[in-house]
Amino acid sequence: MSIHDFLRDAVILLAASTAAVLACHKLRTPAVVGFLLTGMLIGPAGLALIPEVERVTLFAEIGVVFLLFTIGLEFSLERLKEIRRFFLVGGSLQSFLTIGAAAGIAIAAGMRPAPSIFLGFLLALSSTAIVLKLYADRRELDAPQGKLLIGVLLFQDFLIVPMIVLTPVLAGRVEASLQSVLLRFLISLAVVAGVFVLARYLMPKLLHLIVRTQVREVLVLGALLICLGMAWFTESLRFSLALGAFLAGIIISESEYSHQIVAEVVPFRDVFNSIFFISIGMLLDLGFAAERAGLIAGLALLIVGVKALAAAGAGAALGLSSRVALIGGLSLAQIGEFSFVLLQVGQQNGVLPTPFFQTFIAASVLTMMATPLLVAAAPWLAERIPRLRLAGLGQAASSELRDHVVIVGYGVNGRNLSRVLREASIPYRVIELNPELGRTARLSGEPLLYGDATRREILEHAGIRTARVVVFAISDLIAVRRSIRLARELHPGINIVVRTRAVAEIEGLQGCGANEVIAEEFETSIEIFTRVLRQYHVPSNIIRAQTRALRGEDYQMLRVPARDRQLSESLLRILAQGITDVYMLSPAHLRRAGDSIRALALRERTGATVIAVVRGQKSHTNPPPDLELQDGDCLVLVGSHGEIERAFDFLDHAAAEGEARPSLAEPA
């Protein structure tokens, strides 16, 4: 391909991507759908603006690499330990249930066993790129269904290796025993694990060396080197490119430079990722799909049904509620991007008949396009499934329990709150849906009820009708909104406190019935502002007044634009006036500056005035200039912010210079 053709294709892709994003933004539709439709339109089967899909395949694969790299950067090894059950149990169950169900249906339909098993391989893989992006946008990666998805998707990335190894065996081109295949797979895993451990110790040193240069170009090139290097290495071991990029992201996430690297890599990820989804849309032959629309739609529905049931079954086996299991199942019901990679391997080895190739691509693209709708509709559908009473880890609520606190979620915030309530002898009950956290809480002696707070029976069992306060400390926004409405219905007078990460959720949660919404973003800002003002010696009562003003009316002062923001006149007047502060003297001050207020000459030097001297339990107000100062005296100073700051700087400097003076009497 000439440079002219390359630039022409690049311009078409960028123009199409821009138009797709703008259209989806106007229609409030996920950009992924727009990219798929754009690919169909400009591809060989559409307007043929780009006549060959192969021209953009390389860019598409790089896009997936960058996407998984940035996702890995957002995780830590500690967080991966938290999802190990979702990875090992959930991932294996979802994969093998899907393979078994798909192969069984295909054999029953008359297909031979080998291609039936390969079809199960194709269906077992879900779209990491689509699902994680949608859940990141919804801020639900920390929710139970988010952890299930992450564990299952990560297991699928590992599973691609034995699938590729087994494909020639299924085609009858390679004679291999099960033992040899398993041995090769385990050896590959051991090599990757060794590289991961080695990089775990070498990567921090490499990053420190890169950052020390303080050259932005070196940081960008270094991030690209790490990302693409790990992807290339794992691909050479017949793992997926995305797996290597994901591992590289996890390794870098352990360093303090991860946030800066994310900022440098995100633009590359967004560009190449859009090209990937466009390339998937370009694979579809619209004429072929139109002729077999009924068959393709039926196959897509069958794929969604089989995958949703298999994933939901895996979630149920993990002890998740039926609501969470169904949400996770519907979210994993599409065909994954790496299924197309595996499909190409199968086509090269002749596992599947040629006519099935385009049929499967069309049905796969249809499932991908339906994913945003399935993810959005999953909570609504889950609320309408039969309401099952969950039990096993729960502790029955006392019928005599009154004025207690109901805590929904035993994460960090839930644990901290329960500890404070226990120490204050305030009765409480905890509702937790995660089985592992539930067992931990029960072993710790917590009054725990295992179950889903969106269920009426669970809230009633926790004594919601007689409780004084209910606190929602979970990350599942959909579940929180439903639980708030249910709690308000069961007890109209209860005080509902909700923790949320995003400021945009405040009004929606209040509309559901929450009394108080604690926004982590604003609370962090307030804590930073408080600590900064303390450094400038602003009195504590002024800081408290400003804090109350910022928290007032649901952070309204922080939420409105700066040009429309108004502080109270009284607060502005107080902040503009002088302040007071206290400074304790040491012998070093007296050696350098003298042993009386006159010798200090603080007012002449800084503008601050000494209005009192506190010595032990006695206070000397309006002290005379010749008052003899002693070690441990506390000077009460008054002045403007700048004058107080200069006084503290002067006294600190005097103490540093006075360290070498031998006696109190030596003149300044």
Side-chain angles (χ1 to χ4, degrees):
M1 181 172 60
S2 65
I3 185 64
H4 174 77
D5 293 334
F6 172 81
L7 290 176
R8 175 182 172 276
D9 291 347
V11 170
I12 292 173
L13 283 170
L14 292 175
S17 301
T18 303
V21 171
L22 289 174
C24 290
H25 178 71
K26 291 288 186 181
L27 298 174
R28 297 185 178 181
T29 305
V32 173
V33 175
F35 291 141
L36 290 171
L37 293 174
T38 301
M40 298 178 191
L41 183 64
I42 68 174
L47 300 176
L49 298 179
I50 298 180
E52 298 176 4
V53 180
E54 291 75 14
R55 293 188 181 185
V56 298
T57 301
L58 177 61
F59 298 104
E61 292 180 355
I62 294 176
V64 177
V65 167
F66 279 120
L67 175 64
L68 271 294
F69 180 60
T70 53
I71 290 173
L73 284 169
E74 297 174 357
F75 291 94
S76 65
L77 295 178
E78 291 298 322
R79 186 175 182 185
L80 287 178
K81 291 178 182 177
E82 296 177 2
I83 63 169
R84 60 185 180 274
R85 286 187 70 248
F86 297 103
F87 172 78
L88 295 173
V89 181
S92 58
L93 281 175
Q94 180 274 338
S95 300
F96 295 129
L97 284 174
T98 304
I99 293 172
I105 294 173
I107 292 174
M111 188 178 287
R112 291 182 295 109
S116 298
I117 295 174
F118 182 75
L119 179 62
F121 287 176
L122 296 176
L123 265 63
L125 302 176
S126 302
S127 176
T128 303
I130 294 177
V131 174
L132 290 189
K133 179 173 176 54
L134 288 172
Y135 268 77
D137 293 341
R138 293 166 63 92
R139 301 175 182 266
E140 292 184 21
L141 287 176
D142 287 328
Q145 62 267 27
K147 293 179 180 179
L148 172 65
L149 297 176
I150 294 168
V152 171
L153 291 169
L154 184 58
F155 184 86
Q156 291 176 1
D157 279 339
F158 279 96
L159 199 62
I160 189 69
V161 181
M163 287 181 176
I164 292 176
V165 172
L166 283 172
T167 298
V169 179
L170 294 174
R173 297 191 176 187
V174 175
E175 294 293 335
S177 64
L178 179 61
Q179 291 82 356
S180 63
V181 172
L182 289 176
L183 180 62
R184 183 174 183 181
F185 176 51
L186 292 174
I187 291 174
S188 300
L189 282 179
V191 171
V192 171
V195 172
F196 184 77
V197 172
L198 186 63
R200 178 87 161 80
Y201 293 98
L202 294 181
M203 196 65 68
K205 296 180 181 179
L206 176 61
L207 288 174
H208 182 67
L209 182 64
I210 291 174
V211 174
R212 277 183 58 189
T213 62
Q214 297 184 348
V215 178
R216 181 179 178 273
E217 289 80 2
V218 174
L219 182 61
V220 175
L221 292 173
L224 295 177
L225 169 65
I226 295 169
C227 172
L228 299 178
M230 280 291 289
W232 167 78
F233 184 80
T234 55
E235 195 273 340
S236 66
L237 295 176
R238 306 195 75 176
F239 281 77
S240 67
L241 290 166
L243 178 60
F246 186 73
L247 289 176
I250 294 175
I251 294 169
I252 294 177
S253 71
E254 296 297 305
S255 75
E256 62 269 30
Y257 311 117
S258 60
H259 297 293
Q260 182 60 34
I261 292 176
V262 169
E264 302 294 352
V265 172
V266 162
F268 295 96
R269 179 201 67 181
D270 293 341
V271 171
F272 287 112
N273 196 41
S274 64
I275 296 175
F276 165 75
F277 288 110
I278 290 176
S279 70
I280 296 298
M282 291 171 62
L283 291 173
L284 182 62
D285 187 336
L286 294 177
F288 179 90
E291 293 175 1
R292 297 165 177 82
L295 174 64
I296 291 171
L299 180 59
L301 286 175
L302 181 62
I303 291 173
V304 169
V306 169
K307 297 199 66 175
L309 289 174
L318 286 167
L320 299 176
S321 71
S322 53
R323 182 186 68 86
V324 173
L326 182 59
I327 291 175
L330 289 172
S331 300
L332 292 169
Q334 74 291 130
I335 296 298
E337 52 270 8
F338 297 116
S339 295
F340 296 103
V341 177
L342 188 61
L343 184 63
Q344 292 175 350
V345 176
Q347 189 183 32
Q348 293 168 1
N349 288 273
V351 181
L352 289 175
T354 303
F356 188 78
F357 183 78
Q358 269 295 329
T359 304
F360 181 80
I361 289 179
S364 300
V365 171
L366 199 57
T367 64
M368 285 181 157
M369 293 177 60
T371 300
L373 300 177
L374 289 173
V375 170
W380 182 86
L381 293 173
E383 290 176 3
R384 283 152 180 80
I385 61 176
R387 299 181 177 183
L388 303 178
R389 183 180 297 274
L390 300 174
L393 294 176
Q395 174 177 324
S398 171
S399 58
E400 298 179 357
L401 193 64
R402 292 185 176 278
D403 286 339
H404 60 290
V405 179
V406 177
I407 304 172
V408 181
Y410 196 67
V412 175
N413 291 296
R415 288 195 296 271
N416 291 336
L417 177 57
S418 63
R419 183 173 62 251
V420 172
L421 294 176
R422 184 170 57 251
E423 292 175 355
S425 299
I426 297 175
Y428 63 94
R429 288 291 181 269
V430 179
I431 299 176
E432 176 54 57
L433 186 59
N434 187 318
E436 287 189 342
L437 289 178
R439 292 188 181 93
T440 301
R442 191 180 183 190
L443 292 174
S444 302
E446 295 286 3
L448 180 105
L449 174 67
Y450 172 74
D452 190 342
T454 65
R455 301 302 192 199
R456 178 185 299 269
E457 296 87 347
I458 298 298
L459 287 179
E460 288 183 339
H461 203 57
I464 193 71
R465 295 184 186 275
T466 57
R468 178 181 296 186
V469 181
V470 58
V471 178
F472 291 95
I474 57 178
S475 302
D476 188 344
L477 180 60
I478 303 297
V480 169
R481 287 181 174 176
R482 174 167 171 76
S483 300
I484 291 173
R485 295 190 188 100
L486 188 56
R488 183 63 68 199
E489 175 188 337
L490 294 173
H491 187 176
I494 195 170
N495 189 277
I496 300 177
V497 180
V498 186
R499 181 223 69 177
T500 181
R501 292 187 173 181
V503 176
E505 298 168 3
I506 292 178
E507 293 179 355
L509 292 171
Q510 288 176 335
C512 294
N515 297 96
E516 299 179 48
V517 181
I518 310 300
E520 290 185 358
E521 293 178 2
F522 282 158
E523 287 299 322
T524 302
S525 301
I526 290 174
E527 183 63 23
I528 293 172
F529 130 79
T530 299
R531 298 195 181 197
V532 170
L533 289 188
R534 283 174 183 164
Q535 293 295 317
Y536 285 91
H537 315 292
V538 176
S540 298
N541 65 310
I542 304 302
I543 296 177
R544 287 195 298 270
Q546 177 74 321
T547 301
R548 286 195 299 270
L550 293 176
R551 289 196 176 111
E553 298 182 1
D554 304 313
Y555 310 96
Q556 186 65 27
M557 188 182 297
L558 293 174
R559 295 165 65 186
V560 300
R563 62 180 180 274
D564 301 327
R565 195 176 300 154
Q566 293 182 349
L567 290 172
S568 66
E569 290 296 329
S570 59
L571 186 57
L572 286 171
R573 187 168 58 254
I574 292 173
L575 291 173
Q577 290 175 351
I579 62 173
T580 61
D581 214 325
V582 179
Y583 194 100
M584 179 180 287
L585 297 177
S586 67
H589 292 103
L590 306 180
R591 294 190 189 109
R592 171 66 181 85
D595 58 359
S596 69
I597 294 177
R598 179 181 289 110
L600 277 176
L602 204 59
R603 186 171 186 178
E604 290 79 5
R605 288 168 168 156
T606 67
T609 303
V610 179
I611 61 172
V613 177
V614 180
R615 181 174 300 160
Q617 301 297 321
K618 187 176 181 181
S619 176
H620 300 273
T621 58
N622 296 320
D626 57 354
L627 176 67
E628 183 179 348
L629 299 175
Q630 299 178 8
D631 178 23
D633 282 353
C634 292
L635 304 182
V636 181
L637 309 177
V638 66
S640 65
H641 294 285
E643 290 169 345
I644 294 294
E645 186 67 24
R646 286 193 294 273
F648 271 64
D649 288 341
F650 167 74
L651 292 170
D652 288 342
H653 184 68
E657 290 190 357
E659 291 292 341
R661 298 298 178 102
S663 67
L664 295 175
E666 186 172 349

